[in-house]
Amino acid sequence: MDRSTQPVLSQTEWAAVSVAFQDAAACGCAAASATARPSLLGRVSDALFGSRRPTPLADPRLEAIRAFVCTTRRQRKPAENLVPVLADHGFNPAQIEAIALLAI
């Protein structure tokens, strides 16, 4: 990790990390995204038992954190394909590495 760039996250960003951990613990980080349309059986199940898919976070920056954490936890390795998404949202390499280390 580049020690000159501290992995500082805002309180809201840490809250998004926490939400992602909760989603992962509750199996909410399924392979399908939160915005994917479920199958007929899935829709019937949701109607009967309620939806269990996480609702996308309103802020795309926070949703990028959640997607990265969920995918990293599911794969048990950093979600390299989502690193550019985090970078596009302004996260520096130290922040991304810190989130990945927490998520593994």
Side-chain angles (χ1 to χ4, degrees):
M1 179 186 300
D2 179 6
R3 300 280 182 220
S4 65
T5 307
Q6 295 297 315
V8 177
L9 296 175
S10 72
Q11 195 170 31
T12 304
E13 292 163 347
W14 280 119
V17 171
S18 177
V19 165
F21 288 159
Q22 292 169 15
D23 287 349
C27 299
C29 293
S33 74
T35 58
R37 182 166 170 81
S39 67
L40 175 60
L41 182 58
R43 291 191 308 270
V44 169
S45 174
D46 287 350
L48 292 173
F49 305 110
S51 175
R52 297 194 180 174
R53 275 185 267 349
T55 304
L57 298 173
D59 183 332
R61 181 177 166 93
L62 300 179
E63 183 58 32
I65 293 172
R66 182 167 71 172
F68 180 77
V69 169
C70 283
T71 304
T72 297
R73 287 184 76 88
R74 189 175 60 247
Q75 296 176 355
R76 300 185 192 276
K77 65 179 186 173
E80 296 296 332
N81 62 318
L82 295 176
V83 169
V85 176
L86 289 175
D88 287 347
H89 283 288
F91 292 99
N92 65 49
Q95 291 171 313
I96 295 168
E97 185 176 353
I99 294 168
L101 290 172
L102 287 171
I104 293 177

